[in-house]
Amino acid sequence: MKLRIQLGLNIQEARRSKGFSQETLAHRADIDRGYIGKIENAKHAASIDMVEAIAEALGVEARDLLNPRF
């Protein structure tokens, strides 16, 4: 599986497990909500800085978002 797809799935799974909407995650990570959706759906590749911001907003380690299974 491509890393971009795995990242998107892991972000989505982590976000849902925390009970966050895309809007909530976007606000916490200071990212546009539409961009979160595009990352989750593998339409855009996230930068390392973006992965780090999302991980911090989710309260997880950035490396965990890149693992085959979150």
Side-chain angles (χ1 to χ4, degrees):
M1 178 179 300
K2 285 191 168 190
L3 189 56
R4 183 189 323 191
I5 295 169
Q6 190 62 57
L7 173 66
L9 291 172
N10 286 343
I11 290 171
Q12 188 176 68
E13 186 176 329
R15 175 180 61 75
R16 288 179 175 169
S17 75
K18 300 279 185 182
F20 292 170
S21 65
Q22 286 183 344
E23 186 72 30
T24 300
L25 176 56
H27 179 73
R28 291 175 61 104
D30 196 27
I31 301 169
D32 184 78
R33 192 223 48 88
Y35 194 64
I36 293 287
K38 289 176 182 176
I39 293 171
E40 286 187 359
N41 292 309
K43 303 290 184 197
H44 283 278
S47 70
I48 295 298
D49 292 337
M50 193 68 59
V51 172
E52 189 173 59
I54 292 169
E56 186 175 313
L58 289 168
V60 300
E61 294 292 326
R63 68 177 172 264
D64 293 336
L65 295 177
L66 301 172
N67 285 336
R69 290 284 298 179
F70 180 73

